[in-house]
Coordinates of all heavy atoms in Angstrom, one line a residue:
M84 N 0.9 -1.2 0.0 CA 0.1 0.0 0.0 C 0.9 1.3 0.0 O 1.8 1.4 0.8 CB -0.9 0.0 1.2 CG -1.8 1.1 1.4 SD -2.9 1.1 2.8 CE -4.2 0.0 2.3
S85 N 0.6 2.2 -0.9 CA 1.4 3.4 -0.9 C 1.1 4.3 0.1 O 0.1 4.2 0.8 CB 1.2 4.1 -2.3 OG -0.1 4.7 -2.4
T86 N 2.0 5.4 0.3 CA 1.7 6.3 1.4 C 0.5 7.1 1.1 O -0.3 7.3 2.0 CB 2.9 7.3 1.4 OG1 4.1 6.6 1.6 CG2 2.7 8.3 2.5
K87 N 0.1 7.4 -0.2 CA -1.1 8.2 -0.5 C -2.3 7.3 -0.1 O -3.3 7.9 0.4 CB -1.2 8.6 -2.0 CG -0.4 9.8 -2.2 CD -0.7 10.3 -3.7 CE -0.2 11.7 -3.9 NZ -0.5 12.1 -5.2
E88 N -2.2 6.0 -0.4 CA -3.3 5.1 -0.1 C -3.6 5.0 1.4 O -4.7 5.0 1.8 CB -3.2 3.7 -0.7 CG -3.2 3.7 -2.2 CD -2.7 2.4 -2.8 OE1 -1.8 1.7 -2.2 OE2 -3.2 2.0 -3.9
K89 N -2.5 5.0 2.2 CA -2.6 5.0 3.6 C -3.2 6.2 4.1 O -4.1 6.2 5.0 CB -1.3 4.8 4.2 CG -0.7 3.3 4.1 CD 0.8 3.3 4.7 CE 1.4 2.0 4.4 NZ 2.8 1.9 4.9
V90 N -2.9 7.3 3.6 CA -3.5 8.7 4.0 C -4.9 8.6 3.7 O -5.7 9.1 4.5 CB -2.6 9.8 3.3 CG1 -3.3 11.1 3.6 CG2 -1.2 9.8 3.8
H91 N -5.3 8.2 2.5 CA -6.7 8.1 2.1 C -7.5 7.3 3.1 O -8.6 7.7 3.5 CB -6.8 7.6 0.7 CG -6.5 8.6 -0.3 ND1 -7.3 9.7 -0.7 CD2 -5.4 8.8 -1.1 CE1 -6.8 10.4 -1.7 NE2 -5.6 9.9 -1.9
S92 N -7.0 6.2 3.5 CA -7.7 5.3 4.3 C -7.8 5.9 5.7 O -8.8 5.8 6.4 CB -7.1 3.9 4.4 OG -5.8 3.9 5.0
M93 N -6.8 6.7 6.2 CA -6.8 7.3 7.4 C -7.8 8.5 7.5 O -8.5 8.6 8.4 CB -5.4 7.8 7.8 CG -4.4 6.7 8.1 SD -2.8 7.5 8.3 CE -2.9 8.4 9.9
V94 N -7.9 9.2 6.4 CA -8.8 10.3 6.3 C -10.2 9.8 6.2 O -11.1 10.5 6.9 CB -8.5 11.2 5.0 CG1 -9.6 12.2 4.7 CG2 -7.2 11.9 5.1
D95 N -10.4 8.7 5.6 CA -11.8 8.1 5.6 C -12.3 7.8 7.0 O -13.5 7.8 7.2 CB -11.9 6.9 4.8 CG -11.7 7.2 3.2 OD1 -12.0 8.4 2.8 OD2 -11.3 6.3 2.4
S96 N -11.4 7.6 8.0 CA -11.8 7.2 9.2 C -12.0 8.4 10.2 O -12.4 8.3 11.3 CB -10.8 6.2 9.9 OG -9.6 6.8 10.1
L97 N -11.7 9.6 9.7 CA -11.8 10.8 10.5 C -13.2 11.4 10.5 O -14.0 11.2 9.6 CB -10.9 11.8 10.0 CG -9.3 11.5 10.1 CD1 -8.5 12.7 9.4 CD2 -8.8 11.3 11.5
N98 N -13.6 12.0 11.6 CA -14.9 12.7 11.7 C -14.7 14.0 11.0 O -13.6 14.5 10.7 CB -15.5 12.8 13.0 CG -14.6 13.7 14.0 OD1 -14.1 14.7 13.6 ND2 -14.5 13.2 15.2
E99 N -15.8 14.8 10.8 CA -15.8 16.0 10.1 C -14.9 17.1 10.7 O -14.2 17.7 10.1 CB -17.2 16.6 10.0 CG -17.4 17.9 9.2 CD -17.1 17.6 7.7 OE1 -17.2 16.4 7.2 OE2 -16.7 18.5 7.0
E100 N -14.9 17.2 12.1 CA -14.1 18.2 12.8 C -12.6 17.8 12.6 O -11.8 18.7 12.4 CB -14.5 18.1 14.3 CG -13.7 19.2 15.1 CD -14.2 19.2 16.5 OE1 -15.3 18.8 16.8 OE2 -13.4 19.5 17.4
Q101 N -12.2 16.5 12.7 CA -10.9 16.1 12.5 C -10.4 16.4 11.1 O -9.3 16.8 10.8 CB -10.7 14.7 12.7 CG -10.9 14.3 14.2 CD -10.9 12.8 14.5 OE1 -11.5 12.1 13.7 NE2 -10.4 12.4 15.6
V102 N -11.3 16.2 10.1 CA -11.0 16.5 8.6 C -10.7 18.0 8.4 O -9.8 18.4 7.9 CB -12.1 16.0 7.7 CG1 -11.8 16.4 6.3 CG2 -12.2 14.5 7.7
R103 N -11.6 18.8 9.1 CA -11.3 20.3 9.0 C -10.0 20.7 9.6 O -9.3 21.5 9.1 CB -12.5 21.0 9.8 CG -13.7 21.1 9.0 CD -14.7 22.2 9.6 NE -16.0 21.8 9.2 CZ -17.0 21.5 10.1 NH1 -16.8 21.5 11.3 NH2 -18.2 21.1 9.5
A104 N -9.7 20.1 10.8 CA -8.4 20.4 11.4 C -7.2 20.0 10.5 O -6.2 20.6 10.4 CB -8.2 19.7 12.7
L105 N -7.3 18.8 9.9 CA -6.3 18.3 9.0 C -6.2 19.3 7.8 O -5.1 19.5 7.3 CB -6.6 16.8 8.6 CG -5.6 16.2 7.6 CD1 -4.2 16.1 8.2 CD2 -6.1 14.8 7.2
F106 N -7.3 19.7 7.3 CA -7.3 20.5 6.1 C -6.6 21.9 6.5 O -5.8 22.3 5.6 CB -8.8 20.9 5.7 CG -8.8 21.9 4.6 CD1 -8.6 21.6 3.3 CD2 -9.0 23.3 4.9 CE1 -8.6 22.5 2.3 CE2 -9.0 24.2 3.8 CZ -8.8 23.8 2.6
V107 N -6.8 22.4 7.7 CA -6.1 23.7 8.0 C -4.6 23.4 8.0 O -3.8 24.2 7.6 CB -6.6 24.1 9.4 CG1 -5.7 25.2 9.9 CG2 -8.1 24.6 9.3
I108 N -4.1 22.3 8.5 CA -2.8 22.0 8.7 C -2.1 21.8 7.3 O -1.1 22.4 6.9 CB -2.5 20.7 9.5 CG1 -2.9 20.9 10.9 CG2 -1.0 20.2 9.4 CD1 -2.9 19.7 11.8
L109 N -2.8 21.1 6.5 CA -2.3 20.8 5.1 C -2.4 22.0 4.2 O -1.4 22.3 3.4 CB -3.2 19.7 4.4 CG -3.0 18.3 5.0 CD1 -4.0 17.4 4.3 CD2 -1.6 17.8 4.9
D110 N -3.4 22.8 4.4 CA -3.5 24.1 3.6 C -2.3 25.0 3.9 O -1.8 25.7 3.1 CB -4.8 24.8 3.9 CG -5.1 25.9 2.9 OD1 -5.0 25.7 1.7 OD2 -5.4 27.1 3.4
G111 N -2.0 25.1 5.3 CA -0.9 25.9 5.7 C 0.5 25.4 5.2 O 1.3 26.2 4.8
M112 N 0.5 24.1 5.0 CA 1.8 23.5 4.4 C 1.9 23.8 3.0 O 3.0 24.2 2.4 CB 1.9 22.0 4.7 CG 2.0 21.6 6.2 SD 1.9 19.9 6.4 CE 3.3 19.3 5.5
V113 N 0.8 23.8 2.3 CA 0.8 24.0 0.8 C 1.0 25.5 0.5 O 1.8 25.8 -0.5 CB -0.5 23.5 0.2 CG1 -0.7 24.0 -1.2 CG2 -0.6 22.0 0.3
H114 N 0.5 26.3 1.3 CA 0.5 27.8 1.0 C 1.6 28.5 1.9 O 1.5 29.7 2.0 CB -0.8 28.5 1.2 CG -1.8 27.9 0.2 ND1 -2.8 27.0 0.6 CD2 -2.0 28.2 -1.1 CE1 -3.6 26.8 -0.5 NE2 -3.1 27.5 -1.5
E115 N 2.5 27.7 2.4 CA 3.5 28.3 3.2 C 4.3 29.4 2.5 O 4.7 29.1 1.3 CB 4.5 27.2 3.7 CG 5.1 27.3 5.1 CD 5.8 26.1 5.5 OE1 6.9 25.8 4.9 OE2 5.3 25.4 6.4
E116 N 4.5 30.5 3.1 CA 5.3 31.6 2.4 C 6.7 31.2 2.4 O 7.3 30.8 3.4 CB 5.1 32.9 3.2 CG 3.8 33.5 3.0 CD 3.7 34.9 3.7 OE1 4.7 35.6 3.7 OE2 2.6 35.3 4.1
K117 N 7.4 31.5 1.3 CA 8.7 31.2 1.1 C 9.5 32.5 1.8 O 9.0 33.6 1.7 CB 9.1 31.1 -0.3 CG 8.5 30.0 -1.0 CD 8.8 29.9 -2.5 CE 8.1 28.7 -3.1 NZ 7.8 28.8 -4.5
P118 N 10.6 32.1 2.4 CA 11.3 33.3 3.1 C 11.8 34.2 2.0 O 12.2 34.0 0.9 CB 12.5 32.6 3.7 CG 12.5 31.2 3.2 CD 11.2 30.9 2.5
K119 N 11.6 35.6 2.3 CA 12.0 36.6 1.5 C 13.5 36.8 1.4 O 14.1 36.7 2.5 CB 11.3 37.9 1.8 CG 9.8 37.9 1.6 CD 9.2 39.2 2.0 CE 7.7 39.1 1.8 NZ 7.0 40.3 2.3
A120 N 14.0 37.1 0.3 CA 15.5 37.3 0.3 C 15.8 38.6 1.1 O 15.0 39.6 0.9 CB 15.9 37.4 -1.3
K121 N 16.9 38.6 1.8 CA 17.2 39.8 2.5 C 17.8 40.8 1.6 O 18.5 40.5 0.7 CB 18.2 39.4 3.6 CG 17.6 38.5 4.7 CD 18.6 38.3 5.8 CE 18.0 37.5 6.8 NZ 18.8 37.2 8.0
K122 N 17.4 42.0 1.8 CA 17.9 43.1 1.0 C 19.2 43.6 1.6 O 19.3 43.8 2.8 CB 16.9 44.2 0.9 CG 15.6 43.9 0.1 CD 14.7 45.0 -0.1 CE 13.6 44.8 -1.0 NZ 12.5 44.1 -0.5
T123 N 20.2 43.7 0.7 CA 21.4 44.3 1.2 C 21.5 45.8 0.9 O 20.6 46.3 0.2 CB 22.6 43.7 0.4 OG1 22.4 44.0 -0.9 CG2 22.6 42.1 0.5
A124 N 22.4 46.4 1.5 CA 22.5 47.9 1.4 C 22.8 48.2 -0.1 O 22.2 49.2 -0.6 CB 23.7 48.4 2.3
A125 N 23.6 47.4 -0.8 CA 23.8 47.6 -2.2 C 22.6 47.5 -3.0 O 22.3 48.3 -3.9 CB 24.9 46.6 -2.7
S126 N 21.7 46.5 -2.7 CA 20.5 46.3 -3.5 C 19.6 47.4 -3.2 O 18.9 47.9 -4.1 CB 19.8 44.9 -3.2 OG 19.4 44.9 -1.9
I127 N 19.5 47.9 -2.1 CA 18.6 49.1 -1.7 C 19.1 50.3 -2.4 O 18.3 51.1 -3.0 CB 18.5 49.2 -0.2 CG1 17.8 48.0 0.5 CG2 17.7 50.6 0.1 CD1 17.8 48.0 1.9
R128 N 20.4 50.5 -2.4 CA 20.9 51.7 -3.1 C 20.6 51.6 -4.5 O 20.3 52.6 -5.2 CB 22.5 51.7 -2.9 CG 22.9 52.7 -1.8 CD 24.4 52.9 -1.9 NE 25.2 51.8 -1.7 CZ 25.6 51.2 -0.7 NH1 25.2 51.6 0.5 NH2 26.4 50.1 -0.7
G129 N 20.7 50.4 -5.1 CA 20.4 50.2 -6.6 C 18.9 50.5 -6.9 O 18.6 51.2 -7.9
I130 N 18.0 50.1 -5.9 CA 16.6 50.4 -6.2 C 16.4 51.9 -6.0 O 15.7 52.5 -6.9 CB 15.8 49.6 -5.1 CG1 15.8 48.1 -5.3 CG2 14.3 50.1 -5.1 CD1 15.2 47.4 -4.1
L131 N 17.0 52.4 -5.1 CA 16.8 54.0 -4.9 C 17.4 54.7 -6.1 O 16.7 55.7 -6.5 CB 17.5 54.4 -3.6 CG 16.8 53.9 -2.3 CD1 17.5 54.4 -1.1 CD2 15.3 54.3 -2.2
H132 N 18.5 54.2 -6.5 CA 19.2 55.0 -7.7 C 18.2 54.8 -9.0 O 18.1 55.8 -9.7 CB 20.5 54.2 -8.0 CG 21.2 55.0 -9.1 ND1 21.9 56.2 -8.9 CD2 21.4 54.6 -10.4 CE1 22.3 56.6 -10.1 NE2 22.1 55.6 -11.0
D133 N 17.6 53.8 -9.1 CA 16.7 53.4 -10.2 C 15.5 54.5 -10.3 O 15.0 54.8 -11.4 CB 16.1 52.0 -10.3 CG 17.2 51.1 -10.6 OD1 18.3 51.4 -11.1 OD2 17.0 49.9 -10.4
V134 N 15.0 54.9 -9.1 CA 13.8 55.8 -9.0 C 14.3 57.2 -8.8 O 13.4 58.1 -8.7 CB 12.9 55.3 -8.0 CG1 12.3 53.9 -8.3 CG2 13.5 55.3 -6.6
A135 N 15.5 57.5 -8.6 CA 16.0 58.8 -8.2 C 16.0 59.7 -9.5 O 16.2 59.3 -10.6 CB 17.4 58.8 -7.7
N136 N 15.7 61.0 -9.3 CA 15.9 62.0 -10.4 C 17.3 62.4 -10.5 O 17.8 63.1 -9.6 CB 15.0 63.2 -10.0 CG 15.0 64.2 -11.1 OD1 15.9 64.2 -12.0 ND2 14.0 65.1 -11.1
P137 N 18.0 62.0 -11.6 CA 19.5 62.3 -11.8 C 19.8 63.7 -11.6 O 20.9 64.1 -11.2 CB 19.7 61.7 -13.2 CG 18.6 60.9 -13.6 CD 17.4 61.3 -12.8
D138 N 18.8 64.6 -12.0 CA 19.1 66.0 -12.0 C 19.3 66.6 -10.6 O 19.8 67.6 -10.3 CB 18.0 66.8 -12.7 CG 18.0 66.5 -14.2 OD1 19.0 66.1 -14.8 OD2 16.9 66.6 -14.8
L139 N 18.6 65.9 -9.6 CA 18.6 66.3 -8.2 C 19.6 65.7 -7.3 O 19.9 66.1 -6.2 CB 17.2 66.0 -7.6 CG 15.9 66.8 -8.3 CD1 14.7 66.4 -7.6 CD2 16.1 68.3 -8.2
I140 N 20.3 64.6 -7.8 CA 21.3 63.9 -7.0 C 22.3 64.8 -6.5 O 22.6 64.8 -5.2 CB 21.8 62.7 -7.8 CG1 20.7 61.6 -8.0 CG2 23.1 62.1 -7.1 CD1 21.1 60.4 -8.8
P141 N 22.9 65.7 -7.2 CA 23.9 66.6 -6.7 C 23.5 67.5 -5.5 O 24.2 67.8 -4.6 CB 24.4 67.4 -7.9 CG 24.0 66.7 -9.1 CD 22.8 66.0 -8.7
F142 N 22.2 67.9 -5.6 CA 21.6 68.7 -4.5 C 21.3 68.0 -3.3 O 21.2 68.6 -2.2 CB 20.3 69.4 -5.1 CG 20.6 70.3 -6.2 CD1 20.2 69.9 -7.5 CD2 21.3 71.5 -6.1 CE1 20.4 70.7 -8.6 CE2 21.6 72.3 -7.2 CZ 21.1 71.9 -8.5
E143 N 21.1 66.7 -3.4 CA 20.8 65.8 -2.2 C 22.0 65.3 -1.5 O 21.9 64.6 -0.5 CB 19.9 64.7 -2.7 CG 18.5 65.3 -3.2 CD 17.6 64.1 -3.8 OE1 18.1 63.0 -3.9 OE2 16.5 64.4 -4.1
K144 N 23.2 65.4 -2.0 CA 24.4 64.9 -1.4 C 24.5 65.1 0.1 O 24.7 64.2 0.8 CB 25.6 65.5 -2.1 CG 26.9 64.9 -1.6 CD 28.1 65.5 -2.4 CE 29.3 64.9 -1.8 NZ 30.3 65.9 -1.3
D145 N 24.2 66.3 0.6 CA 24.4 66.5 2.0 C 23.0 66.7 2.6 O 23.0 67.3 3.8 CB 25.3 67.8 2.2 CG 26.7 67.6 1.7 OD1 27.2 66.5 1.9 OD2 27.3 68.5 1.1
A146 N 22.0 66.4 2.0 CA 20.6 66.6 2.6 C 20.4 65.9 3.9 O 19.8 66.6 4.8 CB 19.6 66.1 1.5
W147 N 20.8 64.7 4.1 CA 20.5 64.1 5.3 C 21.3 64.6 6.5 O 20.7 65.0 7.5 CB 20.8 62.5 5.2 CG 20.3 61.8 6.5 CD1 19.1 61.3 6.7 CD2 21.1 61.6 7.6 NE1 19.1 60.7 8.0 CE2 20.3 60.8 8.6 CE3 22.4 61.8 7.9 CZ2 20.7 60.5 9.8 CZ3 22.9 61.5 9.2 CH2 22.1 60.8 10.1
P148 N 22.6 64.9 6.4 CA 23.3 65.5 7.5 C 22.7 66.9 7.8 O 22.6 67.2 9.0 CB 24.7 65.5 7.0 CG 24.9 64.6 5.9 CD 23.5 64.5 5.3
E149 N 22.4 67.6 6.8 CA 21.9 68.9 7.0 C 20.6 68.8 7.7 O 20.2 69.6 8.7 CB 21.7 69.7 5.8 CG 23.1 70.1 5.2 CD 23.0 70.7 3.8 OE1 21.9 70.9 3.3 OE2 24.0 71.0 3.2
A150 N 19.7 67.9 7.4 CA 18.4 67.8 8.0 C 18.6 67.4 9.5 O 17.8 67.8 10.4 CB 17.5 66.8 7.2
A151 N 19.5 66.5 9.7 CA 19.7 66.0 11.1 C 20.2 67.1 12.0 O 19.7 67.3 13.2 CB 20.8 64.8 11.0
V152 N 21.1 67.9 11.5 CA 21.6 69.1 12.3 C 20.5 70.1 12.5 O 20.4 70.5 13.7 CB 22.8 69.8 11.5 CG1 23.1 71.2 12.1 CG2 24.0 69.0 11.5
E153 N 19.6 70.3 11.5 CA 18.5 71.2 11.8 C 17.5 70.6 12.7 O 17.0 71.4 13.7 CB 17.8 71.4 10.4 CG 16.6 72.4 10.5 CD 16.9 73.8 11.0 OE1 18.0 74.2 10.9 OE2 15.9 74.4 11.5
K154 N 17.2 69.4 12.7 CA 16.3 68.7 13.7 C 16.8 68.9 15.1 O 16.1 69.3 16.0 CB 16.2 67.3 13.3 CG 15.3 66.5 14.3 CD 15.2 65.0 13.9 CE 14.4 64.3 15.0 NZ 14.3 62.9 14.8
H155 N 18.1 68.6 15.3 CA 18.6 68.7 16.7 C 18.9 70.1 17.1 O 18.6 70.4 18.3 CB 19.9 67.9 16.7 CG 19.8 66.4 16.6 ND1 19.2 65.6 17.5 CD2 20.0 65.5 15.5 CE1 19.1 64.4 17.2 NE2 19.6 64.3 15.9
R156 N 19.1 71.0 16.2 CA 19.1 72.4 16.6 C 17.8 72.9 17.1 O 17.7 73.5 18.2 CB 19.6 73.2 15.4 CG 19.8 74.8 15.7 CD 20.0 75.6 14.5 NE 18.9 75.6 13.5 CZ 17.7 76.2 13.7 NH1 17.5 77.0 14.8 NH2 16.8 76.2 12.8
R157 N 16.7 72.5 16.3 CA 15.3 72.9 16.8 C 15.0 72.2 18.1 O 14.4 72.9 19.0 CB 14.3 72.5 15.7 CG 14.2 73.6 14.6 CD 13.0 73.3 13.7 NE 13.6 72.5 12.6 CZ 13.0 71.5 12.0 NH1 11.8 71.1 12.5 NH2 13.5 70.9 11.1
F158 N 15.4 71.0 18.3 CA 15.1 70.3 19.6 C 15.8 71.0 20.7 O 15.2 71.2 21.7 CB 15.6 68.8 19.4 CG 15.5 68.1 20.6 CD1 14.3 67.6 21.1 CD2 16.6 67.8 21.5 CE1 14.1 66.9 22.3 CE2 16.5 67.1 22.7 CZ 15.2 66.6 23.1
L159 N 17.1 71.3 20.5 CA 17.7 72.0 21.6 C 17.2 73.4 21.9 O 17.1 73.8 23.0 CB 19.3 72.1 21.2 CG 20.0 70.8 21.2 CD1 21.4 71.1 20.7 CD2 20.1 70.2 22.6
E160 N 16.7 74.1 20.9 CA 16.1 75.4 21.2 C 14.8 75.2 21.9 O 14.5 76.0 22.8 CB 15.8 76.1 19.8 CG 17.1 76.7 19.1 CD 16.7 77.3 17.8 OE1 15.6 77.3 17.3 OE2 17.7 77.8 17.2
E161 N 14.0 74.2 21.5 CA 12.7 74.0 22.3 C 13.0 73.6 23.7 O 12.3 74.0 24.6 CB 11.9 72.8 21.6 CG 11.4 73.3 20.2 CD 10.7 72.1 19.4 OE1 10.7 71.0 20.0 OE2 10.4 72.3 18.3
E162 N 13.9 72.7 23.9 CA 14.4 72.4 25.3 C 14.7 73.6 26.1 O 14.5 73.7 27.2 CB 15.5 71.4 25.3 CG 15.2 69.9 24.9 CD 14.4 69.3 26.0 OE1 14.8 69.3 27.2 OE2 13.2 68.7 25.7
K163 N 15.5 74.5 25.5 CA 16.0 75.7 26.2 C 14.8 76.5 26.5 O 14.7 77.1 27.6 CB 17.0 76.5 25.2 CG 17.5 77.7 25.8 CD 18.5 78.4 24.8 CE 18.9 79.7 25.4 NZ 19.7 80.4 24.4
N164 N 13.8 76.7 25.6 CA 12.7 77.5 25.8 C 11.8 76.8 26.9 O 11.1 77.6 27.7 CB 11.8 77.7 24.5 CG 12.5 78.5 23.5 OD1 13.4 79.3 23.9 ND2 12.2 78.4 22.3
D165 N 11.7 75.6 27.0 CA 10.9 74.9 27.9 C 11.5 75.0 29.3 O 10.7 75.0 30.4 CB 10.7 73.3 27.7 CG 9.8 73.1 26.4 OD1 9.1 74.1 26.0 OD2 9.9 72.0 25.9
N166 N 12.7 75.1 29.4 CA 13.4 75.3 30.7 C 13.5 76.7 31.2 O 13.8 76.9 32.3 CB 14.9 74.7 30.7 CG 14.8 73.2 30.5 OD1 13.8 72.5 30.9 ND2 15.8 72.6 29.9
S167 N 13.0 77.6 30.3 CA 13.2 79.0 30.7 C 12.0 79.5 31.6 O 10.9 79.0 31.5 CB 13.2 79.9 29.5 OG 14.4 79.7 28.8

């Protein structure tokens, strides 16, 4: 008797509730999500480069450091005003 035949005979002996439980288990195994490939910094840079506007790239070179400095400057000013 093959494995499939054994399974069929076992399923035939199950009640409705047991069949539903087995279905949920089997359905989860069949539709199991495959692990997503991890994105590396290089692949993310590549994606961002593909959607970037080439004309604006030179202007954005120091955008992040400048924004960080501005954010912390405002934070420190607000702290100073709150403590006054």
Side-chain angles (χ1 to χ4, degrees):
M84 184 180 277
S85 73
T86 305
K87 276 190 173 184
E88 290 171 330
K89 288 179 186 176
V90 170
H91 282 283
S92 66
M93 290 173 69
V94 169
D95 286 339
S96 67
L97 299 176
N98 65 36
E99 186 66 24
E100 187 176 330
Q101 292 170 323
V102 171
R103 280 193 205 120
L105 181 60
F106 175 79
V107 169
I108 293 167
L109 293 174
D110 191 52
M112 291 172 66
V113 170
H114 295 104
E115 216 171 67
E116 286 188 32
K117 295 177 181 157
K119 294 180 182 178
K121 291 185 179 180
K122 289 186 171 81
T123 64
S126 70
I127 293 171
R128 266 195 299 277
I130 293 168
L131 295 176
H132 183 76
D133 290 345
V134 297
N136 182 340
D138 298 332
L139 298 178
I140 291 174
F142 300 107
E143 295 176 350
K144 181 179 177 233
D145 296 321
W147 187 87
E149 290 171 3
V152 167
E153 178 62 22
K154 175 184 175 182
H155 291 288
R156 184 188 61 75
R157 276 189 268 138
F158 174 76
L159 292 172
E160 286 177 358
E161 289 171 8
E162 284 289 311
K163 182 180 172 185
N164 291 338
D165 289 343
N166 293 331
S167 299

